[in-house]
Amino acid sequence: MRKIILAGNWKMHKTQAEALEFLEAFKPLVTDTPEEREVVLCVPYTALGTLSKHLHGSAVRLGAQNVHWEDSGAYTGEISGSMLKELGVRYAIVGHSERRQYFGETDETVNQRLKAAQKHGLTPILCVGETQEQREANETESHIFSQIEKDLVDIDQQNLVIAYEPIWAIGTGKTCEAPEANRVMGLIRSKLTNKDVTIQYGGSVKPENIDEIMAQPEIDGVLVGGASLKADSWGRIVNYQ
Ligand code: PGA
């Protein structure tokens, strides 16, 4: 059975106070959300502790936006799996295109981070996707297959989420047409040994397109940036029809 997972990625947004304000408005919106939908918030590290306390007893899960491959050490600015685990974190985004583009993340470091997440009992959300140029050059499939092959070396596919995020659709308002996202996601699934891996779509998901996206057979959830920052739009997304 493929699990439905709807995850918000706050990126570098919200102080602790703002995160709590969001939560107060958001909690009443998920009281009737079907139990089989897992709702996750991947928030800045500084908001994890507070949200963890305030989410106690709630079905909403916490996620981080990265995790380092070592348990501890001289890695200024990084965070380890045990540090996240202690705060009640369940998920960690790994290999987001912004990490790959701005912070030198490679398929090799992504693979190491995935392993570390699993070692600490976190479920990694591996992000893959093509640029506009790759899409225009007909390299979408080969690029994504190459990412998956390299990123998933020695990774346990029983504890894994994959997010297909076409880079040209992230934060641009340009959504990949739902049937096209569905097609690429089917190709991704065909390369997996565990066909039940949850595969999410990400890139300009919003209240206006969530119902069509979630109606696609290969789409098991979404990874949402901008539209997860406001309680009402995020509430509408997790309560898709
Ligand atoms: P967006 O971001 O929803 O703002 O396009 C998605 C993501 O980067 O995960």
Side-chain angles (χ1 to χ4, degrees):
M1 262 283 280
R2 280 149 50 186
K3 194 162 163 183
I4 300 169
I5 305 176
L6 306 133
N9 171 13
W10 281 1
K11 310 190 179 182
M12 198 172 70
H13 291 287
K14 294 195 194 292
T15 62
Q16 279 193 80
E18 289 164 346
L20 283 180
E21 204 177 303
F22 170 97
L23 202 61
E24 214 163 290
F26 178 63
K27 267 190 176 171
L29 305 181
V30 282
T31 47
D32 293 329
T33 304
E35 261 173 44
E36 65 275 13
R37 298 183 190 178
E38 179 110 310
V39 178
V40 183
L41 284 171
C42 300
V43 306
Y45 301 131
T46 47
L48 286 170
T50 314
L51 284 193
S52 181
K53 280 189 204 129
H54 285 82
L55 282 172
H56 196 74
S58 147
V60 177
R61 302 295 182 214
L62 266 187
Q65 297 172 19
N66 208 351
V67 57
H68 195 261
W69 52 86
E70 291 294 346
D71 294 347
S72 62
Y75 300 101
T76 303
E78 290 284 334
I79 196 150
S80 77
S82 53
M83 294 170 184
L84 297 173
K85 212 41 203 178
E86 187 187 40
L87 296 176
V89 172
R90 307 278 186 113
Y91 292 86
I93 297 173
V94 174
H96 189 281
S97 62
E98 286 151 18
R99 297 294 319 170
R100 296 181 193 252
Q101 187 181 349
Y102 305 132
F103 302 100
E105 205 80 74
T106 65
D107 287 316
E108 287 66 35
T109 58
V110 166
N111 174 255
Q112 285 185 288
R113 290 179 193 273
L114 290 171
K115 279 187 197 148
Q118 293 189 331
K119 176 179 149 193
H120 288 282
L122 301 166
T123 301
I125 303 176
L126 165 66
C127 301
V128 297
E130 80 286 1
T131 61
Q132 180 77 48
E133 295 70 41
Q134 286 166 328
R135 178 157 278 266
E136 282 163 10
N138 275 323
E139 288 165 11
T140 299
E141 290 81 358
S142 60
H143 174 66
I144 291 170
F145 290 164
S146 154
Q147 283 186 316
I148 286 186
E149 194 184 321
K150 293 178 187 152
D151 297 351
L152 291 184
V153 173
D154 295 331
I155 297 303
D156 174 10
Q157 295 190 11
Q158 300 299 325
N159 182 30
L160 175 72
V161 174
I162 294 179
Y164 168 54
E165 299 206 304
I167 296 170
W168 48 272
I170 295 179
T172 57
K174 273 198 255 173
T175 328
C176 182
E177 292 293 324
E180 170 59 9
N182 186 68
R183 183 188 71 84
V184 176
M185 292 162 74
L187 291 174
I188 293 174
R189 196 178 303 284
S190 74
K191 297 286 175 187
L192 301 177
T193 51
N194 174 15
K195 306 294 178 201
D196 285 337
V197 168
T198 295
I199 308 184
Q200 301 174 315
Y201 168 76
S204 297
V205 175
K206 41 195 174 227
E208 295 76 35
N209 57 26
I210 185 67
D211 298 339
E212 191 197 359
I213 289 169
M214 288 307 294
Q216 301 294 321
E218 292 292 348
I219 304 188
D220 308 319
V222 283
L223 183 58
V224 184
S228 72
L229 292 170
K230 292 219 170 76
D232 56 350
S233 60
W234 183 228
R236 173 64 183 87
I237 288 171
V238 303
N239 292 308
Y240 68 87
Q241 307 290 306

